[in-house]
Amino acid sequence: MDDGSRLSFIVTAVLILCAMYFALVETAFASVSQTKLKTDQDRGDNRAKKALWITDNFDRAVTTILICTNIIHLTAASVVTVAVTRIWGLSAVTISTLLVTLAMFFFGEMLPKSIAKKYSEHICLATAGSLHLFMVLLQPLSAFLTMIGNGVSRLARREPEASVTEEELYDIIEDMAEEGSLDEEQSDLISSALQFGDVTAESVLTSRVDLVAVDIEKSPDEILELIKKETHSRIPVYSGSVDNIIGILQIRTFIKEYLHNKDHLDIGPLLDEPYFVHSSIKIDELLSIMSRKKLNMAVITDNFGGTRGIITVEDILEELVGEIWDEDDVAMEPIRQIGEDLYEVDSQETLGDVLDELDLEVDDEDDEELTNKLMGELAYEQFSRIPQEGDQFEYAGMQITISAMEHNRILMLQVQKLAPSDPDDGEEGEA
């Protein structure tokens, strides 16, 4: 091999390293958190200032990277073709092109991009200066190509894409909470607002088994006795069964009429027309409907048209701002510690909240359906029969015991956090 051929292969190796560099910076700046870079800047890292400038002008940075990457790939292919032709002739060009393509793909694309995703912040800080220099040098060519791209995009107009995805927004909120820019309550409120549009009435309703309703055939005195026992301002009224709700009775209106016309009181004319909606409706849509129709209560139906429960405006707002207490509410913690790593949990509490309280995780913690599953529902799924008080099962590092039931309904559970198993214990036992 002569000196010219040796030089050609050295140039090719350098070009592959250059391709690695541009693949690194492209992926790093595309995936880095601007919040973390701003934190680095506040700590006095001057490199973070240039890195933030690049993220603010990322379209221009991408154009610069594409220009350099294409120049590198074309140059590498040309240099290798000339060198191989000189040494082995034209017959070897096809094989050499394939090898260079594979080398560029692995070393110049796949490997650096996988590294860049893992160490995006460090790579951005380390390469911000050099990439900024390339952007300045190639500004005229980059501006010309950008102008062409903008002209083409105007011919194919479409809806603008969101500048920040929902996942990125969650990351920003989490970072701000960790840095102290947001306290826990503010962070929870913003997260609740983001999730608000995904929550269905099914997750918020007062279940039919907890529903306080009255039969239209009841006497005024019987209705009054029920009202005395409860603290609600409105009660659904049914005919025959709770699956046939015919109206909503306002307690204030009933008491006023009861005092004036006790002996001949007919509650039929006092009823407000019920509003029915399926359990799958999103609560943000339902809130808008209830506000427009000036409704305080809606009846939630199941797939067969039966009554699944009711939902009030207060129920919907509590999903956004947390529990709203009034003078009639009895304060009860849904998760209450009663011993060392031992908790009493309401069956209506979600699995996700229990795992957070006990600082535990499940394999698929991003599964929204799993984390929103009610503890009572989770308990029923563990048995092939109706469970009884005292029945136990283990799940995700917890020993869960059914502690209170009413008829066939689970009311409360006791959750014991299990100590993590030590792999060494198993090895000693086997020995």
Side-chain angles (χ1 to χ4, degrees):
M1 183 183 297
D2 57 21
D3 292 339
S5 300
R6 189 177 292 109
L7 178 62
S8 297
F9 289 113
I10 293 174
V11 170
T12 303
V14 172
L15 290 172
I16 292 176
L17 290 175
C18 291
M20 290 180 67
Y21 164 82
F22 286 109
L24 276 171
V25 296
E26 179 183 9
T27 304
F29 278 98
S31 55
V32 73
S33 167
Q34 285 189 311
T35 304
K36 292 181 179 179
L37 292 179
K38 288 176 181 176
T39 302
D40 293 329
Q41 184 181 18
D42 293 339
R43 291 173 181 166
D45 193 334
N46 293 326
R47 300 174 301 170
K49 184 177 181 180
K50 283 187 177 179
L52 283 169
W53 181 87
I54 292 173
T55 58
D56 290 337
N57 297 273
F58 188 65
D59 288 344
R60 181 177 162 188
V62 169
T63 303
T64 301
I65 292 168
L66 286 174
I67 292 171
C68 295
T69 301
N70 280 289
I71 292 173
I72 289 168
H73 286 188
L74 290 172
T75 304
S78 301
V79 169
V80 169
T81 300
V82 170
V84 168
T85 303
R86 183 185 302 166
I87 299 172
W88 294 293
L90 290 173
S91 58
V93 170
T94 302
I95 296 176
S96 66
T97 302
L98 178 61
L99 292 175
V100 171
T101 301
L102 291 174
M104 278 291 185
F105 172 73
F106 182 76
F107 294 105
E109 292 288 339
M110 191 175 72
L111 180 62
K113 286 186 176 182
S114 61
I115 295 172
K117 286 183 179 179
K118 190 173 183 180
Y119 304 103
S120 58
E121 183 182 356
H122 297 293
I123 292 172
C124 286
L125 294 175
T127 60
S130 57
L131 181 57
H132 179 266
L133 177 62
F134 281 114
M135 291 173 67
V136 172
L137 294 175
L138 294 173
Q139 167 61 19
L141 181 57
S142 176
F144 175 71
L145 294 175
T146 301
M147 182 178 66
I148 295 175
N150 290 337
V152 173
S153 64
R154 289 193 194 98
L155 299 176
R157 289 183 179 179
R158 61 177 182 177
E159 290 293 324
E161 295 183 356
S163 57
V164 180
T165 65
E166 184 175 342
E167 184 177 348
E168 290 171 338
L169 199 50
Y170 279 118
D171 290 339
I172 291 171
I173 294 169
E174 185 178 346
D175 292 338
M176 293 179 70
E178 290 176 356
E179 294 161 12
S181 302
L182 288 175
D183 60 33
E184 185 176 354
E185 290 184 357
Q186 291 173 325
S187 175
D188 290 343
L189 180 59
I190 295 172
S191 297
S192 297
L194 290 174
Q195 298 167 3
F196 189 68
D198 297 327
V199 180
T200 61
E202 179 182 14
S203 305
V204 181
L205 60 79
T206 298
S207 175
R208 134 185 214 132
V209 296
D210 294 320
L211 183 60
V212 177
V214 64
D215 193 335
I216 187 73
E217 299 298 330
K218 294 287 185 181
S219 69
D221 290 333
E222 289 176 313
I223 296 174
L224 183 62
E225 286 301 314
L226 176 65
I227 290 172
K228 289 179 181 179
K229 296 177 184 178
E230 304 297 335
T231 58
H232 305 299
S233 61
R234 291 170 177 81
I235 295 180
V237 177
Y238 62 87
S239 176
S241 78
V242 75
D243 286 319
N244 184 30
I245 292 177
I246 59 174
I248 307 297
L249 178 63
Q250 293 195 35
I251 303 306
R252 183 181 300 177
T253 303
F254 171 80
I255 293 176
K256 182 179 177 181
E257 291 296 323
Y258 182 88
L259 293 174
H260 286 83
N261 191 20
K262 173 183 176 181
D263 296 329
H264 303 89
L265 178 57
D266 179 10
I267 68 170
L270 305 180
L271 300 181
D272 295 330
E273 184 180 352
Y275 180 73
F276 297 92
V277 65
H278 191 264
S279 59
S280 62
I281 190 172
K282 300 292 180 65
I283 60 173
D284 60 338
E285 181 185 349
L286 181 57
L287 179 61
S288 177
I289 294 172
M290 294 177 72
S291 176
R292 187 172 65 252
K293 293 180 176 290
K294 296 181 172 56
L295 301 172
N296 182 269
M297 179 184 293
V299 181
I300 308 301
T301 65
D302 58 24
N303 291 336
F304 303 98
T307 299
R308 186 160 188 175
I310 61 166
I311 191 170
T312 65
V313 171
E314 182 178 324
D315 294 329
I316 298 174
L317 293 179
E318 283 181 338
E319 189 67 21
L320 181 62
V321 301
E323 195 70 29
I324 300 174
W325 298 99
D326 58 40
E327 63 274 11
D328 296 319
D329 287 334
V330 179
M332 290 187 64
E333 291 292 332
I335 305 175
R336 185 167 60 91
Q337 188 167 5
I338 56 177
E340 184 178 357
D341 289 335
L342 181 63
Y343 298 81
E344 189 173 58
V345 178
D346 191 290
S347 64
Q348 297 301 301
E349 192 64 12
T350 65
L351 173 62
D353 288 340
V354 174
L355 292 172
D356 288 342
E357 182 70 26
L358 275 63
D359 195 24
L360 294 171
E361 295 180 355
V362 291
D363 293 337
D364 196 2
E365 60 181 339
D366 292 329
D367 186 346
E368 186 176 338
E369 183 178 349
L370 177 63
T371 54
N372 286 333
K373 186 183 291 293
L374 300 180
M375 290 297 292
E377 183 183 356
L378 176 69
Y380 275 115
E381 291 177 352
Q382 310 305 312
F383 303 95
S384 58
R385 54 176 172 80
I386 298 295
Q388 299 177 351
E389 290 184 10
D391 285 346
Q392 295 181 334
F393 63 94
E394 290 187 10
Y395 186 86
M398 303 177 288
Q399 184 179 64
I400 302 173
T401 305
I402 299 171
S403 58
M405 293 189 69
E406 182 178 301
H407 302 296
N408 290 329
R409 181 187 177 202
I410 298 174
L411 298 179
M412 300 293 296
L413 305 104
Q414 282 190 2
V415 178
Q416 176 76 55
K417 182 179 180 181
L418 301 175
S421 58
D422 188 352
D424 295 335
D425 293 343
E427 293 175 5
E428 291 174 4
E430 290 176 5

